[in-house]
Amino acid sequence: MNTPNSSLLSIRHLQIGFKLHGEPLFSAVSGVSFEVPQRSTVALVGESGSGKSVTALSILGLLPKTITRIDPKSEILWQGQNLLHATQAQLRAVRGKDISIIFQEPMSSLNPVFTVGDQLIEGLRLHLGLSQRQANARAAELLHEVGIPEPVRRMGAYPHQLSGGQQQRVMIAMAIGCEPKLLIADEPTTALDVTIQRQILDLIADLQQRLHMSVLFITHDLTLVGEIADQVVVMKSGLVRETGLVQDLFHAPQDAYTRALLACRPPLHGRPHRLRVIDDFISGGLTPVEGVVGVRPHAGSDPMRGLTPPDDILLDVRDIKKDFCIPHGLWGHRLFHAVKGATFQLARGKTVGIVGESGSGKTTLGLLLMGLHAANGGSALFQGHDLLKPLSSDTLAMKRRIQIVFQNPYASLNPRFTVEQILMEPLMLHGIGKNAAERADLVRQLLLRVGLPVESLYRYPHEFSGGQRQRIAIARCLTVKPEILICDESVSALDVSVQAQVLNLLKDLQDEFHMSYIFISHDLAVVRYMSDQILVMSEGEVVEQGDADTVFDHPQHAYTQKLLAAIPNGVKWGQTPLGV
């Protein structure tokens, strides 16, 4: 019988490669070894491509058999059994019952044509042998357990009828239905609001205590890890770079890569002129203490922020409103007030940050200013033009002066265009450049400006990482030399290291071209780093606004205080925050 601290799962010398037709073997995981003790949380940390998700999927035999090559000496030991040698029948008996997994993107993981109840009941009947009535009762109980309101009614809902946070809660309910011994959580909070993220973390911690299960928590955010993990395994390029207890790793990280991951996040206190990036640490240019959370990098002083009387007001938004008519009941409709009279000013060369949970109206506000939604009231004066009213012959010229970078770089670039075609299109549309040769030269300059080599021109979007695609999207906006750039959650789904690179790029571009930004995000640390002024939105209403430092250091509204309280501080409950 295992003791409480003995290993529940042992991964030894795991080597995994992928063999595509006509291509050399790509090594994704190279000799990874670590243990998951009973009743503990082990965090697997690293950037995209580090091999952490491949490692997790190999535990349950979910990697594609045709292209996967696993070294015969590799071992994944579960209660004495090597899962790498298990039959499909043996794996099916383990999946969902003894070992469960929560995937990163719930909308892709939940079947869109089955109700939430159907998907919960399937696993319960398969693994526990419950009757239909027993499974129905247990499914409703699970939804209540994970905090879904009106669980009996929600049993009949389809995934698209739930919010992102509710979808993730359904995934957790499915994962814990059979009370597994090990829960694998693969980026369960990425791109979720800070308050929903807090709820999910609290829920996993509570379920772990009640069900006495172990958790393998996969993420790229080390600050988040500090709140939930007991041990940490740091991976890079398929290799384990560092392992240890969470408090040791946070207070005295030994590997340069670990220090880099800790320091790439924008600090909550103060605003350095530039953020550290991975290369700053790998090159050996920083001392260990500079990489610890809570220690500010000495990279220049905080820039002056906020509006001052000499500032040139570029955009003056007054009482802007937007209502949507949505179905209600069998035949009826009702008005949904998405934006309820927002008012703010944007100065030239400054940044207004807009924060709030999903559904707060922040993205709708950005789309109204872009003319992608029609407003129901108010005005947005941009150098004498009201952006909310139909323009005449200068419509195209006005659109050229305001551009937007969307959240998802995978969906915002045409997959059938090369990078050259993507960047050429706006130049040709707006008549920029005297001829093809001049436009080609502009495109090359822009690509270099956002940190991509000229060779990228002839590649397609799917050949780039998420951070590189976002750089291409920014370059596309810069082709028309905009005066206002709206960034709608443009860094929320990126690795912390890539996020730091993109934020540095945005700051450099603002300094060089004196652009103004409207920066929309649910990540409060990022918003504070980028913004001069901040608008806090809740249920379509601006509940608080002001200078960024004032809003963060002295929040007046209860909703703002709730958002700030939900920010991960890098420590487990009951410990002293790092850097204090």
Side-chain angles (χ1 to χ4, degrees):
M1 182 174 178
N2 290 331
T3 62
N5 292 321
S6 63
S7 293
L8 186 67
L9 178 77
S10 296
I11 296 180
R12 300 176 182 174
H13 314 296
L14 184 63
Q15 296 194 50
I16 302 174
F18 295 107
K19 178 67 175 176
L20 298 176
H21 181 70
E23 298 288 336
L25 182 70
F26 171 75
S27 179
V29 175
S30 305
V32 167
S33 298
F34 63 89
E35 310 276 329
V36 179
Q38 288 196 28
R39 302 181 187 181
S40 69
T41 299
V42 175
L44 201 55
V45 183
E47 300 172 277
S48 296
S50 63
K52 57 187 188 297
S53 290
V54 172
T55 300
L57 292 174
S58 68
I59 296 171
L60 290 172
L62 296 177
L63 295 173
K65 299 290 184 184
T66 54
I67 64 170
T68 304
R69 304 290 184 268
I70 300 179
D71 189 281
K73 297 177 183 177
S74 301
E75 291 183 322
I76 299 178
L77 299 178
W78 173 258
Q79 298 179 334
Q81 178 188 14
N82 188 351
L83 294 179
L84 295 176
H85 297 157
T87 64
Q88 284 301 310
Q90 290 171 325
L91 285 173
R92 278 195 297 269
V94 171
R95 292 181 193 136
K97 187 175 187 297
D98 292 330
I99 306 176
S100 288
I101 187 166
I102 307 168
F103 295 102
Q104 177 176 352
E105 179 46 65
M107 197 59 198
S108 299
S109 306
L110 295 171
N111 194 320
V113 300
F114 288 105
T115 65
V116 165
D118 288 338
Q119 297 183 64
L120 277 166
I121 289 167
E122 182 183 20
L124 296 173
R125 298 199 67 185
L126 176 66
H127 290 294
L128 301 181
L130 301 182
S131 67
Q132 183 69 36
R133 178 177 294 182
Q134 290 172 326
N136 277 333
R138 176 59 178 154
E141 182 183 319
L142 285 167
L143 290 180
H144 173 73
E145 200 169 339
V146 298
I148 297 287
E150 302 179 86
V152 175
R153 186 174 70 85
R154 292 294 188 181
M155 290 270 290
Y158 290 89
H160 74 273
Q161 296 175 303
L162 304 178
S163 69
Q166 289 174 329
Q167 290 170 6
Q168 196 62 287
R169 286 170 181 266
V170 170
M171 289 293 298
I172 293 174
M174 293 172 64
I176 66 168
C178 299
E179 299 189 0
K181 298 181 179 70
L182 174 64
L183 177 66
I184 301 173
D186 188 2
E187 301 271 12
T189 61
T190 297
L192 291 181
D193 297 331
V194 65
T195 51
I196 303 298
Q197 175 179 271
R198 167 63 61 196
Q199 293 170 18
I200 297 296
L201 292 178
D202 289 346
L203 175 61
I204 292 175
D206 179 60
L207 291 171
Q208 181 180 22
Q209 291 299 315
R210 289 197 285 112
L211 301 178
H212 306 294
M213 65 182 179
S214 295
V215 177
L216 180 60
F217 193 89
I218 300 169
T219 184
H220 61 257
D221 191 344
L222 265 174
T223 309
L224 197 63
V225 165
E227 298 213 349
I228 197 169
D230 301 301
Q231 300 181 43
V232 184
V233 179
V234 181
M235 292 185 66
K236 184 180 190 300
S237 303
L239 297 169
V240 173
R241 296 292 293 258
E242 186 169 358
T243 62
L245 297 175
V246 67
Q247 61 267 27
D248 295 338
L249 186 134
F250 269 72
H251 289 92
Q254 300 301 307
D255 192 84
Y257 180 67
T258 309
R259 297 197 296 272
L261 288 178
L262 285 166
C264 283
R265 287 278 296 165
L268 281 172
H269 304 286
R271 182 168 70 160
H273 189 66
R274 294 185 66 79
L275 295 173
R276 301 296 194 189
V277 297
I278 295 291
D279 287 346
D280 294 334
F281 291 80
I282 301 302
S283 61
L286 297 178
T287 61
V289 72
E290 290 178 312
V292 178
V293 171
V295 178
R296 280 189 54 206
H298 46 271
S301 59
D302 290 355
M304 185 69 67
R305 63 173 68 204
L307 286 176
T308 55
D311 283 336
D312 175 20
I313 301 301
L314 192 61
L315 180 65
D316 190 0
V317 177
R318 299 287 176 184
D319 200 31
I320 187 172
K321 299 182 179 73
K322 177 60 183 177
D323 300 328
F324 290 102
C325 189
I326 60 177
H328 182 67
L330 188 60
W331 305 108
H333 293 80
R334 67 180 178 88
L335 282 181
F336 171 68
H337 305 293
V339 179
K340 305 172 184 177
T343 297
F344 67 93
Q345 291 182 321
L346 176 64
R348 188 179 296 277
K350 296 292 182 75
T351 299
V352 168
I354 305 178
V355 299
E357 298 172 282
S358 294
S360 62
K362 56 187 187 297
T363 292
T364 302
L365 179 55
L367 296 178
L368 288 170
L369 298 175
M370 279 295 299
L372 298 176
H373 281 320
N376 294 109
S379 63
L381 296 179
F382 177 41
Q383 296 187 337
H385 296 277
D386 190 349
L387 298 177
L388 306 186
K389 293 181 179 178
L391 300 174
S392 54
S393 57
D394 59 349
T395 299
L396 200 60
M398 290 301 297
K399 287 184 176 181
R400 169 178 168 176
R401 297 167 68 183
I402 304 178
Q403 294 292 306
I404 187 168
V405 181
F406 293 101
Q407 175 177 357
N408 189 349
Y410 296 88
S412 60
L413 300 176
N414 192 326
R416 298 181 180 178
F417 278 15
T418 64
V419 172
E420 184 177 37
Q421 290 171 308
I422 289 170
L423 299 182
M424 276 288 190
E425 186 179 35
L427 294 175
M428 297 174 67
L429 181 64
H430 291 280
I432 300 173
K434 297 177 182 178
N435 49 48
E438 186 172 320
R439 285 191 286 270
D441 187 54
L442 285 171
V443 164
R444 292 189 188 94
Q445 291 178 30
L446 281 171
L447 206 60
L448 292 172
R449 189 67 195 83
V450 298
L452 291 174
V454 174
E455 295 75 28
S456 303
L457 286 173
Y458 313 108
R459 296 163 61 188
Y460 289 87
H462 73 271
E463 299 179 75
F464 295 89
S465 68
Q468 289 172 324
R469 293 186 205 201
Q470 204 61 290
R471 288 171 179 265
I472 294 167
I474 293 170
R476 180 176 58 184
C477 291
L478 295 178
T479 56
V480 294
K481 298 181 179 178
E483 295 173 60
I484 297 176
L485 187 62
I486 301 173
C487 299
D488 184 13
E489 301 278 14
S490 53
V491 298
S492 63
L494 301 178
D495 291 333
V496 288
S497 56
V498 178
Q499 182 184 86
Q501 295 171 15
V502 174
L503 292 177
N504 283 339
L505 172 63
L506 289 171
K507 296 289 291 181
D508 290 344
L509 294 172
Q510 187 172 47
D511 292 342
E512 182 175 347
F513 299 111
H514 214 50
M515 287 191 297
S516 300
Y517 292 153
I518 296 175
F519 198 88
I520 300 168
S521 180
H522 63 259
D523 190 326
L524 299 182
V526 170
V527 169
R528 180 169 194 173
Y529 173 71
M530 290 294 297
S531 303
D532 298 285
Q533 287 189 298
I534 288 179
L535 271 66
V536 182
M537 295 190 69
S538 175
E539 298 181 350
E541 184 179 358
V542 177
V543 297
E544 186 167 355
Q545 65 175 298
D547 174 85
D549 286 335
T550 302
V551 170
F552 269 80
D553 296 336
H554 307 287
Q556 301 299 308
H557 198 276
Y559 179 74
T560 310
Q561 294 167 4
K562 184 182 82 166
L563 289 179
L564 293 172
I567 301 174
N569 61 17
V571 295
K572 300 193 76 172
W573 298 276
Q575 295 179 0
T576 304
L578 295 175
V580 173

